[in-house]
Amino acid sequence: MAPGNLTKVTEFILMGITDLPELQVPLFFVFLVIYGLTVVRNLGTIILTSVDSRLQTPMYFFLRHLAITNLGNSTTIAPKMLLNFLAKKKTISYYCCAAQLGGFLVFMAAEVFILATMVYDCYVAICNPLLYMVVVSQQICLLLISLIYLYSLTIALTVSSCVFSVSYCSSNIINHFYCDNVPLLALSCSGTYIPEAAVFTFSDANLFFSMIIVLISYFNIVLTILRIQSSEGKEKAFSTCASHMMAVTVFYGTLLFMCLQPRTNHSLDTDKMASVFYTLVIPMLNPLIYSLRNKDVKDALKRFWNNPCKSLKLM
């Protein structure tokens, strides 16, 4: 087809998780419950770690921002996904698609490095407890979180600009339930070498460097715990990072599963299932993981539940 005959795409069609009509309504209710729990749990974490005076520590500061990224990530994806389960025409405009991709990239990149920072926080608390308030001071926490958000915003603007710098012509059906890099680039009617290089370079680099931080920190944590003589001391040290270890294992395990797929035999259907997990299921589970295994959070929740007015006065 000659370039002059090409029609520029102004909207995309999202195929969703499945195209089976009989599953649309049941899946709508399943994901409505998941998203509802995600909003309630993460908002609860944000409020609780903001108002309770005993949760004003670096660990809960980063937990609050993890909840913000979880809530942001799900809210970027879920509302449009839920609408499309019930809509006959499952479309998203060109600019809304770009905004959704950008929002997804911001919150995903931020979550990756907030989790890595939380592991470093555990490392300092266990391996260098006497220097904890110096190494992880309030000023350093604010600096770290500011740099994470700034870096995530830069990544999102760079990658989404590259993805939407290519031409999208006659084909506009995205084999996904949201606007993601790989299925979008598969629709391009122009060269995609530079956008694909940007997507895979940034995603692989983010995963690699954050995992280096996680692995080195946990290696030193394990060595320190093994050196502790008393079983009570070992149990206390392990409980400090047990919740985070569980959250990190689930999150990075999902990302590694996606990254280790052969790109020559890459399945978009497999990507969709993994995407459901890290955009919707993990954000719902994270607050549960931290609250169920954390006495401080459970105690703070009881105090807030028994006297919310007194808690709010602490703000």
PDB file of all heavy atoms in Angstrom, residues 261-273:
ATOM      1  N   GLN A 261      11.225 -15.283  28.908  1.00  0.00           N
ATOM      2  CA  GLN A 261      10.598 -15.927  27.748  1.00  0.00           C
ATOM      3  C   GLN A 261      11.426 -15.654  26.499  1.00  0.00           C
ATOM      4  O   GLN A 261      11.894 -14.526  26.303  1.00  0.00           O
ATOM      5  CB  GLN A 261       9.189 -15.356  27.517  1.00  0.00           C
ATOM      6  CG  GLN A 261       8.147 -15.816  28.501  1.00  0.00           C
ATOM      7  CD  GLN A 261       6.784 -15.338  28.056  1.00  0.00           C
ATOM      8  OE1 GLN A 261       6.137 -15.967  27.228  1.00  0.00           O
ATOM      9  NE2 GLN A 261       6.352 -14.200  28.568  1.00  0.00           N
ATOM     10  N   PRO A 262      11.633 -16.653  25.635  1.00  0.00           N
ATOM     11  CA  PRO A 262      12.367 -16.412  24.381  1.00  0.00           C
ATOM     12  C   PRO A 262      11.622 -15.394  23.520  1.00  0.00           C
ATOM     13  O   PRO A 262      10.423 -15.523  23.291  1.00  0.00           O
ATOM     14  CB  PRO A 262      12.376 -17.794  23.705  1.00  0.00           C
ATOM     15  CG  PRO A 262      12.030 -18.768  24.764  1.00  0.00           C
ATOM     16  CD  PRO A 262      11.198 -18.047  25.762  1.00  0.00           C
ATOM     17  N   ARG A 263      12.313 -14.363  23.071  1.00  0.00           N
ATOM     18  CA  ARG A 263      11.646 -13.319  22.286  1.00  0.00           C
ATOM     19  C   ARG A 263      11.263 -13.789  20.887  1.00  0.00           C
ATOM     20  O   ARG A 263      10.417 -13.200  20.232  1.00  0.00           O
ATOM     21  CB  ARG A 263      12.561 -12.084  22.215  1.00  0.00           C
ATOM     22  CG  ARG A 263      12.527 -11.311  23.528  1.00  0.00           C
ATOM     23  CD  ARG A 263      13.490 -10.173  23.585  1.00  0.00           C
ATOM     24  NE  ARG A 263      13.530  -9.612  24.928  1.00  0.00           N
ATOM     25  CZ  ARG A 263      14.460  -8.804  25.370  1.00  0.00           C
ATOM     26  NH1 ARG A 263      15.468  -8.461  24.595  1.00  0.00           N
ATOM     27  NH2 ARG A 263      14.429  -8.330  26.605  1.00  0.00           N
ATOM     28  N   THR A 264      11.889 -14.874  20.437  1.00  0.00           N
ATOM     29  CA  THR A 264      11.520 -15.420  19.128  1.00  0.00           C
ATOM     30  C   THR A 264      10.205 -16.202  19.205  1.00  0.00           C
ATOM     31  O   THR A 264       9.558 -16.436  18.211  1.00  0.00           O
ATOM     32  CB  THR A 264      12.636 -16.357  18.610  1.00  0.00           C
ATOM     33  OG1 THR A 264      12.913 -17.337  19.614  1.00  0.00           O
ATOM     34  CG2 THR A 264      13.892 -15.563  18.301  1.00  0.00           C
ATOM     35  N   ASN A 265       9.844 -16.621  20.426  1.00  0.00           N
ATOM     36  CA  ASN A 265       8.614 -17.397  20.610  1.00  0.00           C
ATOM     37  C   ASN A 265       7.774 -16.750  21.714  1.00  0.00           C
ATOM     38  O   ASN A 265       7.287 -17.403  22.627  1.00  0.00           O
ATOM     39  CB  ASN A 265       8.982 -18.848  20.980  1.00  0.00           C
ATOM     40  CG  ASN A 265       7.774 -19.764  20.946  1.00  0.00           C
ATOM     41  OD1 ASN A 265       6.820 -19.504  20.215  1.00  0.00           O
ATOM     42  ND2 ASN A 265       7.809 -20.821  21.746  1.00  0.00           N
ATOM     43  N   HIS A 266       7.633 -15.428  21.604  1.00  0.00           N
ATOM     44  CA  HIS A 266       6.996 -14.637  22.659  1.00  0.00           C
ATOM     45  C   HIS A 266       5.476 -14.745  22.547  1.00  0.00           C
ATOM     46  O   HIS A 266       4.903 -14.481  21.493  1.00  0.00           O
ATOM     47  CB  HIS A 266       7.429 -13.181  22.536  1.00  0.00           C
ATOM     48  CG  HIS A 266       7.162 -12.370  23.760  1.00  0.00           C
ATOM     49  ND1 HIS A 266       7.983 -12.401  24.860  1.00  0.00           N
ATOM     50  CD2 HIS A 266       6.157 -11.512  24.064  1.00  0.00           C
ATOM     51  CE1 HIS A 266       7.517 -11.583  25.779  1.00  0.00           C
ATOM     52  NE2 HIS A 266       6.395 -11.034  25.324  1.00  0.00           N
ATOM     53  N   SER A 267       4.824 -15.131  23.637  1.00  0.00           N
ATOM     54  CA  SER A 267       3.370 -15.301  23.641  1.00  0.00           C
ATOM     55  C   SER A 267       2.702 -14.108  24.315  1.00  0.00           C
ATOM     56  O   SER A 267       2.922 -13.846  25.495  1.00  0.00           O
ATOM     57  CB  SER A 267       3.002 -16.586  24.384  1.00  0.00           C
ATOM     58  OG  SER A 267       1.610 -16.635  24.600  1.00  0.00           O
ATOM     59  N   LEU A 268       1.864 -13.385  23.551  1.00  0.00           N
ATOM     60  CA  LEU A 268       1.133 -12.249  24.119  1.00  0.00           C
ATOM     61  C   LEU A 268       0.065 -12.725  25.100  1.00  0.00           C
ATOM     62  O   LEU A 268      -0.280 -12.012  26.040  1.00  0.00           O
ATOM     63  CB  LEU A 268       0.507 -11.415  23.000  1.00  0.00           C
ATOM     64  CG  LEU A 268       1.489 -10.608  22.137  1.00  0.00           C
ATOM     65  CD1 LEU A 268       0.751  -9.895  21.018  1.00  0.00           C
ATOM     66  CD2 LEU A 268       2.254  -9.598  22.986  1.00  0.00           C
ATOM     67  N   ASP A 269      -0.468 -13.935  24.887  1.00  0.00           N
ATOM     68  CA  ASP A 269      -1.454 -14.473  25.831  1.00  0.00           C
ATOM     69  C   ASP A 269      -0.807 -14.745  27.189  1.00  0.00           C
ATOM     70  O   ASP A 269      -1.419 -14.495  28.238  1.00  0.00           O
ATOM     71  CB  ASP A 269      -2.072 -15.758  25.277  1.00  0.00           C
ATOM     72  CG  ASP A 269      -3.001 -15.480  24.102  1.00  0.00           C
ATOM     73  OD1 ASP A 269      -3.585 -14.379  24.074  1.00  0.00           O
ATOM     74  OD2 ASP A 269      -3.138 -16.348  23.228  1.00  0.00           O
ATOM     75  N   THR A 270       0.428 -15.246  27.174  1.00  0.00           N
ATOM     76  CA  THR A 270       1.160 -15.453  28.430  1.00  0.00           C
ATOM     77  C   THR A 270       1.445 -14.121  29.094  1.00  0.00           C
ATOM     78  O   THR A 270       1.336 -13.982  30.321  1.00  0.00           O
ATOM     79  CB  THR A 270       2.488 -16.196  28.158  1.00  0.00           C
ATOM     80  OG1 THR A 270       2.216 -17.407  27.462  1.00  0.00           O
ATOM     81  CG2 THR A 270       3.219 -16.516  29.453  1.00  0.00           C
ATOM     82  N   ASP A 271       1.804 -13.106  28.297  1.00  0.00           N
ATOM     83  CA  ASP A 271       2.024 -11.760  28.815  1.00  0.00           C
ATOM     84  C   ASP A 271       0.781 -11.226  29.509  1.00  0.00           C
ATOM     85  O   ASP A 271       0.857 -10.582  30.556  1.00  0.00           O
ATOM     86  CB  ASP A 271       2.396 -10.801  27.669  1.00  0.00           C
ATOM     87  CG  ASP A 271       3.888 -10.794  27.394  1.00  0.00           C
ATOM     88  OD1 ASP A 271       4.604 -11.578  28.043  1.00  0.00           O
ATOM     89  OD2 ASP A 271       4.329 -10.020  26.536  1.00  0.00           O
ATOM     90  N   LYS A 272      -0.379 -11.490  28.917  1.00  0.00           N
ATOM     91  CA  LYS A 272      -1.631 -10.998  29.503  1.00  0.00           C
ATOM     92  C   LYS A 272      -1.862 -11.604  30.887  1.00  0.00           C
ATOM     93  O   LYS A 272      -2.244 -10.895  31.824  1.00  0.00           O
ATOM     94  CB  LYS A 272      -2.818 -11.308  28.577  1.00  0.00           C
ATOM     95  CG  LYS A 272      -2.953 -10.340  27.422  1.00  0.00           C
ATOM     96  CD  LYS A 272      -4.326 -10.431  26.775  1.00  0.00           C
ATOM     97  CE  LYS A 272      -4.387 -11.545  25.758  1.00  0.00           C
ATOM     98  NZ  LYS A 272      -5.648 -11.505  24.972  1.00  0.00           N
ATOM     99  N   MET A 273      -1.620 -12.894  31.022  1.00  0.00           N
ATOM    100  CA  MET A 273      -1.824 -13.540  32.309  1.00  0.00           C
ATOM    101  C   MET A 273      -0.846 -13.002  33.360  1.00  0.00           C
ATOM    102  O   MET A 273      -1.227 -12.749  34.510  1.00  0.00           O
ATOM    103  CB  MET A 273      -1.648 -15.063  32.176  1.00  0.00           C
ATOM    104  CG  MET A 273      -2.736 -15.738  31.347  1.00  0.00           C
ATOM    105  SD  MET A 273      -4.416 -15.430  31.990  1.00  0.00           S
ATOM    106  CE  MET A 273      -5.012 -14.181  30.844  1.00  0.00           C
TER     107      MET A 273
END
